[in-house]
């Protein structure tokens, strides 16, 4: 055997043992889980609900960090640039698939600049309003919106946020004007809605169910094709006449490109355990979030779905001519 071949084999063996030693001790310090929206909002609720069992499974604290702005794209850009050392992960939603069509100057490519860990939960949305809005039902709301024109405010979490997309789908399907008001997440937007500073919002059940049950908001229906268990008596918007109205929020976990496979695999295994934790299962069910089936709890499941959603939304958004710089 030539010397150079021998050296290659020794080198490869050294690398392999260093990698396996690394993977045996990983993680040795806390891990950041970046949330692209404000604390207290729906994405944050999912991240914080999971962070406790994730920390238990990984043997190190999973610290939830909120990096807000530009409809979630600042957080995705930060994670794309972060050191691929297994200590930074991102939890994001549909925005990963919609931002490429909405933002002309994205500094990352959602389909190539990440490692894909897993899908997490699917979450329906609800159409809600401030409690003292005169319209009590969806038909009353439609009459009210037509009469008010663009005087009615729709709160959302920025261009590319699902609250914005859902609001735009609603506006289009009922043919009304609305003035949109962006926030750093629907956590602060919900505070404004409860305080009566804005009128209307589309938001995930992970935040709205407790408020709907407490009667703190007007509630017009859920955005899914079928009724949901968390709000069994609530009609869908589609069954009330908004034909084909369907918006479902999906969440995925990502890591910077080049993160060692051992790290993404450990995080994936921890996530699977966390999603079977009885406290998590009960909490997610209570908030209307559906834990995805095992086949989607995989890197391939997330990557394939992201591609499918990017292909689906890109042309729709581009033809609507909505852009951000
Ligand atoms: N619900 C938000 C959205 O509209 C995000 C959040 O605050 O979690 O995208």
């Amino acid at each position: 055997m030539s010397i150079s071949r021998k050296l290659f084999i020794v080198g490869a063996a050294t690398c392999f043992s260093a990698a396996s030693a690394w993977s045996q001790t990983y993680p040795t310090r806390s891990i950041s889980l970046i949330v692209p929206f404000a604390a207290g909002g729906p994405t944050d609720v999912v991240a914080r609900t999971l962070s406790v069992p994730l920390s238990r499974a990984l043997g190190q604290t999973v610290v939830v960090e909120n990096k807000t702005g530009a409809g979630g794209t600042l957080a995705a850009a930060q994670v794309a640039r972060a050191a691929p050392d297994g200590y930074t992960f991102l939890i994001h939603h549909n925005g990963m698939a919609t931002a490429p069509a909405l933002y002309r100057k994205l500094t990352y490519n959602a389909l190539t600049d990440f490692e894909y860990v897993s899908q997490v939960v699917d979450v329906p949305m609800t159409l809600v309003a401030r409690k003292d809005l005169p319209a009590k039902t969806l038909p009353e709301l439609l009459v009210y919106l037509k009469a008010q024109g663009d005087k009615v405010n729709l709160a959302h979490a920025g261009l590319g946020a699902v609250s914005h997309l859902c609001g735009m789908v609603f506006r289009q399907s009922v043919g009304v004007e609305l003035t949109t008001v962006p926030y750093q997440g629907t956590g602060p937007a919900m505070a404004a809605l409860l305080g009566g500073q804005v009128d209307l919002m589309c938001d995930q059940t992970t935040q709205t169910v407790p408020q709907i049950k407490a009667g703190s908001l007007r509630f017009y229906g859920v955005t899914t094709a079928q009724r949901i268990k968390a709000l069994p008596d609530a009609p869908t918007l589609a069954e009330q006449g908004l034909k084909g109205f369907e918006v479902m929020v999906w969440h995925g976990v990502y890591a910077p490109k080049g993160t060692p496979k051992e790290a993404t695999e450990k995080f994936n295994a921890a996530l699977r355990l966390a999603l079977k934790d009885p406290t998590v299962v009960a909490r997610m069910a209570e908030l209307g979030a559906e834990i995805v089936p095992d086949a989607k709890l995989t890197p391939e499941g997330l990557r394939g779905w992201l591609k499918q959603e990017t292909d689906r939304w890109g042309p729709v958004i581009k033809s609507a001519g909505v852009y951000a710089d």
Side-chain angles (χ1 to χ4, degrees):
M1 189 186 288
S2 74
I3 291 183
S4 66
R5 176 125 176 87
K6 254 191 213 156
L7 282 177
F8 172 77
I9 292 170
V10 172
T14 315
C15 268
F16 177 74
S17 60
S20 69
W22 183 88
S23 78
Q24 265 158 32
T25 51
Y26 169 83
T28 55
R29 58 183 166 88
S30 64
I31 294 174
S32 300
L33 179 59
I34 312 291
V35 169
F37 298 102
T43 315
D44 186 70
V45 165
V46 171
R48 286 179 201 273
T49 306
L50 290 171
S51 67
V52 177
L54 275 176
S55 304
R56 210 180 298 129
L58 289 161
Q60 290 289 343
T61 311
V62 172
V63 183
V64 174
E65 289 173 30
N66 304 85
K67 165 78 187 169
T68 64
T73 59
L74 294 189
Q78 175 180 314
V79 172
R81 282 193 313 266
D85 56 6
Y87 291 92
T88 304
F89 289 86
L90 167 74
I91 181 162
H92 206 331
H93 62 25
N94 312 41
M96 280 297 263
T98 55
L102 285 166
Y103 287 80
R104 281 192 242 239
K105 293 182 194 148
L106 271 197
T107 58
Y108 61 89
N109 182 326
L111 289 168
T112 53
D113 291 349
F114 296 90
E115 300 298 338
Y116 304 88
V117 179
S118 178
Q119 283 193 62
V120 188
V121 286
D122 290 339
V123 188
M125 297 191 94
T126 50
L127 181 65
V128 292
R130 65 181 158 83
K131 202 182 165 189
D132 54 356
L133 197 85
K136 293 194 180 73
T137 61
L138 185 66
E140 284 178 24
L141 178 66
L142 301 188
V143 172
Y144 180 79
L145 293 178
K146 291 219 158 101
Q148 297 293 314
D150 63 4
K151 283 205 257 346
V152 178
N153 291 320
L154 173 95
H156 64 86
L159 202 65
V162 279
S163 46
H164 184 247
L165 287 172
C166 178
M168 293 307 94
V169 173
F170 174 70
R171 187 171 78 170
Q172 229 171 21
S173 69
V174 298
V176 294
E177 287 308 315
L178 290 168
T179 299
T180 58
V181 186
Y183 287 82
Q184 299 289 307
T186 46
M190 175 61 81
L193 194 67
L194 292 170
Q197 290 126 31
V198 284
D199 301 310
L200 206 60
M201 181 161 75
C202 240
D203 201 18
Q204 285 110 297
T205 56
T206 29
Q207 168 155 263
T208 59
V209 163
Q211 305 293 354
I212 290 169
K213 286 190 172 161
S216 320
L217 299 168
R218 290 244 188 268
F219 167 47
Y220 304 108
V222 293
T223 64
T224 40
Q226 311 295 331
R227 290 187 177 206
I228 60 167
K229 285 197 203 112
L231 295 166
D233 301 329
T236 65
L237 294 176
E239 81 184 65
Q240 295 180 80
L242 303 190
K243 291 276 167 275
F245 197 108
E246 191 178 354
V247 182
M248 177 67 105
V249 182
W250 54 273
H251 295 277
V253 172
Y254 306 80
K257 185 86 187 167
T259 299
K261 207 163 191 248
E262 291 84 355
T264 53
E265 280 173 355
K266 268 199 183 170
F267 203 92
N268 179 291
L271 201 55
R272 283 168 178 262
L273 270 181
L275 289 168
K276 293 205 162 56
D277 183 294
T279 325
V280 171
V281 172
R283 182 81 182 128
M284 294 298 182
E286 192 187 351
L287 296 179
E290 221 174 278
I291 295 167
V292 299
D294 280 359
K296 288 184 162 192
L297 289 171
T298 60
E300 305 72 48
L302 173 58
R303 207 185 174 294
W305 183 247
L306 175 67
K307 171 87 177 68
Q308 202 174 308
E309 285 281 282
T310 307
D311 292 347
R312 172 178 165 210
W313 284 103
V316 178
I317 294 168
K318 284 197 170 131
S319 73
V322 195
Y323 286 109
D325 285 319

